[in-house]
């Protein structure tokens, strides 16, 4: 008898190459081979439960990815395998009647396995194992019935294995499509969860799930980084942030239905060695926000701010540290305050190091009133004269009250600095050696600089 029956182990790894018969024998041989195939396939249909049992046992023994599913619900896996075998063996007998239903079954299996997280390689291996088992049973049944007919199966072997490959392709396509849909839903759910945390509207009951989803400790220390490109304008984040702050855009809201929103590209580069380098970014209407996990010493934020790579014209604000995911809404508002304290030309502001400026931008109306009250008398001067006095006053304050260092910075003599300061005192009625007046002058200058009042 010709050696056309492969071993069971060999069958699990695909068909052996079989040379075609000469063309003059193909037509008659093919018709006879199809008849042999149909006879054997009808016997398989009648014994599908036993075939299903053997395939489920083989899956459990040879494919580790299926063991959890079989242990969890063997009956469900059995029904799935039986359903697939029934349609696929039926397709060997009546291809037109069963083709579409067999494809639907394979697509359904691909989608289900993707949702269960079974690796695609394992799913394809399972289909090939099923194909190998069906082929071996066809050969065994033919040998039992009429050993001479085994040679005829050679002519349909390629068709049977092409059928298996076709269904592997259907399964793979359905699996990948389901995987993309799951990824979209997962990404958008993560995006919505980050938005709720930054908005401060996340429910306490959801924090544990959020921590698991985002890979962050629920009770860890965090800060928020806010980044905006370009100068502050009328559309900048309002003082105090407000509830919601528009963190979820219309495209975010529709993403779960229509596919993923592209992830926000970080507008600044975080130091690779800092834990915040893997920060979670979220787009807002006026700024990009990043949740920064903190694990280092108290000076960690200062080191981060100093090492932050901020492009020209970009403003970055880092809020104070907070405890726990539940406080991220507060951390976001603090980061917005730090962002508003950034110079219009760009730079980085760490809130903890610019608290006076933060006070100014947190209450623009009061800060403007203070600036008008303290610096208003200077507005009666010629603009160039006024600007010289303001520049000198600012340099003197930055030099911690040293006329010598202020003069070096302004390229003038210290006496010139003192004369200009004395003139300021005469015009405004303020005394720069009086602590209260010095504080008001400093805040008024910050208001002019930050708010343009």
């Amino acid at each position: 008898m010709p050696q056309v029956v492969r071993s069971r182990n060999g069958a699990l790894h695909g068909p052996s190459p079989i040379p075609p018969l000469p063309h003059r024998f193909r037509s008659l041989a093919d018709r006879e081979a199809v008849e042999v195939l149909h006879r054997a396939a009808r016997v398989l249909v009648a014994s599908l439960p036993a075939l299903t049992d053997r395939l489920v046992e083989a899956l459990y023994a040879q494919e580790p990815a299926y063991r959890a599913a079989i242990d969890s619900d063997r009956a469900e896996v059995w029904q799935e395998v039986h359903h697939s075998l029934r349609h696929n063996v039926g397709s060997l007998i009546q291809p037109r009647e069963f083709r579409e239903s067999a494809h639907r079954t394979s697509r359904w299996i691909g989608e289900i396995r993707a949702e269960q997280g079974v690796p695609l390689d394992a799913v394809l291996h399972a289909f090939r194992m099923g194909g190998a088992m069906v082929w071996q049973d066809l050969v065994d049944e033919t040998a039992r019935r009429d050993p001479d007919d085994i040679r005829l199966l050679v002519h349909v072997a390629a068709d049977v294995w092409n059928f298996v490959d076709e269904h592997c392709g259907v399964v793979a396509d359905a699996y990948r499509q389901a995987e993309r849909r799951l990824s979209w839903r997962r990404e958008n759910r993560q995006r919505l969860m980050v938005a709720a945390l930054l908005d401060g509207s996340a429910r306490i009951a959801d924090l544990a799930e959020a921590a698991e989803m985002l890979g962050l400790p629920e009770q860890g220390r965090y800060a928020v980084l806010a980044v905006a490109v370009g100068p502050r304008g009328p559309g900048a984040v309002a003082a105090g942030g407000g509830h919601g702050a528009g963190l979820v855009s219309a495209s975010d809201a529709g993403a779960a239905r229509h596919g993923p929103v592209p992830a926000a590209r970080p507008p600044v580069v975080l130091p690779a060695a800092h834990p915040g380098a893997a920060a979670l970014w979220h787009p807002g209407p006026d700024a990009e926000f990043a949740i920064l996990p903190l694990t280092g010493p108290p000076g960690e934020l200062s080191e981060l701010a100093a090492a932050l790579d901020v492009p020209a014209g970009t403003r970055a604000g880092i809020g104070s540290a907070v405890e726990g995911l539940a406080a991220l809404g507060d951390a976001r508002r603090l980061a917005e305050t730090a962002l508003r304290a950034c110079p219009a030309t760009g730079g980085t502001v760490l809130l903890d190091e610019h608290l006076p400026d933060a006070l100014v931008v947190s209450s623009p109306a009061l800060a403007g009133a203070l600036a008008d009250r303290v610096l208003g008398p200077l507005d009666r001067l010629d603009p160039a004269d006024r600007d010289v006095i303001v520049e000198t006053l600012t340099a003197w304050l930055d030099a911690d009250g040293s006329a010598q260092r202020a003069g070096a910075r302004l390229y003038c003599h210290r006496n010139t600095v003192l004369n200009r300061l004395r003139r300021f005192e005469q015009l405004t009625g303020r005394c720069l050696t009086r602590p209260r007046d010095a504080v008001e002058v400093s805040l008024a200058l910050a208001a002019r600089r930050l708010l343009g009042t």
Side-chain angles (χ1 to χ4, degrees):
M1 182 177 67
Q3 182 62 35
V4 298
V5 180
R6 296 169 299 125
S7 70
R8 290 184 183 271
N9 289 334
L12 295 179
H13 300 285
S16 303
I18 302 174
L21 292 179
H23 180 72
R24 63 181 178 275
F25 297 121
R26 292 287 304 210
S27 178
L28 177 59
D30 284 351
R31 285 199 301 270
E32 294 175 346
V34 169
E35 292 176 1
V36 170
L37 175 67
H38 286 180
R39 282 197 299 269
R42 290 189 186 97
V43 175
L44 260 63
V45 169
S47 60
L48 274 182
L51 176 58
T52 303
D53 288 339
R54 287 192 286 118
L55 182 51
V56 170
E57 290 299 329
L59 286 173
Y60 191 86
Q62 301 179 37
E63 185 46 70
Y66 269 76
R67 288 174 190 164
I70 296 173
D71 284 335
S72 174
D73 195 338
R74 176 178 287 265
E76 181 180 357
V77 175
W78 192 96
Q79 288 293 340
E80 175 189 304
V81 172
H82 184 267
H83 195 63
S84 177
L85 288 173
R86 180 164 58 85
H87 284 87
N88 291 338
V89 175
S91 295
L92 298 178
I93 304 171
Q94 296 175 295
R96 291 184 180 179
E97 290 79 355
F98 280 88
R99 176 183 172 83
E100 184 54 39
S101 60
H103 277 197
R104 281 198 302 270
T105 299
S106 295
R107 283 194 294 269
W108 174 74
I109 291 174
E111 292 173 355
I112 290 295
R113 291 293 173 247
E115 292 174 0
Q116 293 174 340
V118 177
L120 177 57
D121 286 347
V123 180
L124 296 178
H125 183 210
F127 263 76
R128 293 189 179 101
M129 287 176 64
M133 194 167 287
V134 167
W135 171 251
Q136 190 65 52
D137 280 11
L138 291 171
V139 172
D140 290 347
E141 172 58 26
T142 302
R144 184 190 66 79
R145 186 183 186 92
D146 189 345
D148 290 340
D149 285 345
I150 291 179
R151 59 184 178 79
L152 294 172
L153 288 182
V154 171
H155 301 283
V156 293
D159 294 332
V160 171
W161 285 101
N162 286 339
F163 176 86
V164 173
D165 288 342
E166 175 187 344
H167 279 263
C168 285
V170 170
V171 168
D173 184 61
Y175 185 101
R176 295 188 181 103
Q177 290 185 23
E179 197 173 40
R180 284 194 293 270
R181 289 195 299 271
L182 291 169
S183 177
W184 293 347
R185 288 200 290 267
R186 184 166 51 251
E187 290 172 2
N188 285 296
R189 180 164 173 74
Q190 175 176 309
R191 186 176 293 108
L192 293 173
M193 182 63 76
V194 170
L197 290 171
L198 290 172
D199 182 37
S201 61
R203 299 182 304 173
I204 297 298
D206 293 335
L207 293 180
E209 179 187 356
E212 182 179 0
M213 180 190 305
L214 304 177
L216 298 173
E218 184 177 348
Q219 300 302 328
R221 290 176 59 248
Y222 298 97
V224 170
L225 166 67
V227 180
V229 179
R232 296 181 301 271
V237 180
H243 186 71
L247 288 176
V248 182
S249 65
S251 57
D252 276 331
R257 298 188 301 273
H258 305 297
V261 175
R265 184 179 64 181
V268 301
V269 178
L270 292 154
H274 191 273
L280 291 171
W281 286 91
H282 187 83
D286 301 299
E288 306 280 348
F289 297 93
I291 298 175
L292 306 176
L294 304 177
T295 58
E300 181 180 13
L301 281 178
S302 297
E303 296 176 2
L304 174 63
L308 205 60
D309 185 3
V310 180
T314 299
R315 295 178 294 114
I318 303 175
S320 303
V322 298
E323 296 290 338
L325 292 178
L328 282 177
D330 294 333
R332 188 262 306 170
R333 286 184 281 273
L334 293 172
E336 289 174 338
T337 300
L339 184 63
R340 293 195 299 275
C342 283
T345 54
T348 302
V349 166
L350 176 59
L351 184 66
D352 291 347
E353 297 176 356
H354 293 80
L355 291 176
D357 290 351
L359 287 174
V360 168
V361 297
S362 295
S363 184
L366 289 177
L370 177 63
D372 290 341
R373 180 178 178 182
V374 174
L375 303 176
L378 300 181
D379 294 336
R380 294 192 291 268
L381 300 176
D382 179 86
D385 194 13
R386 179 200 60 206
D387 291 346
V388 167
I389 293 178
V390 170
E391 182 184 27
T392 301
L393 188 59
T394 301
W396 179 76
L397 289 170
D398 289 344
D400 297 326
S402 170
Q404 185 74 35
R405 292 202 301 272
R409 182 176 299 182
L410 298 171
Y411 302 102
C412 65
H413 195 274
R414 65 180 297 275
N415 289 340
T416 302
V417 173
L418 293 174
N419 289 335
R420 292 172 182 173
L421 296 178
R422 195 173 300 113
R423 188 178 180 209
F424 168 79
E425 291 177 329
Q426 293 170 350
L427 289 169
T428 62
R430 303 283 166 170
C431 178
L432 293 174
T433 58
R434 186 183 301 136
R436 175 170 178 156
D437 285 359
V439 169
E440 290 184 351
V441 169
S442 178
L443 293 176
L445 288 172
R448 285 285 175 94
R449 173 171 50 85
L450 295 171
L451 304 176
T453 57

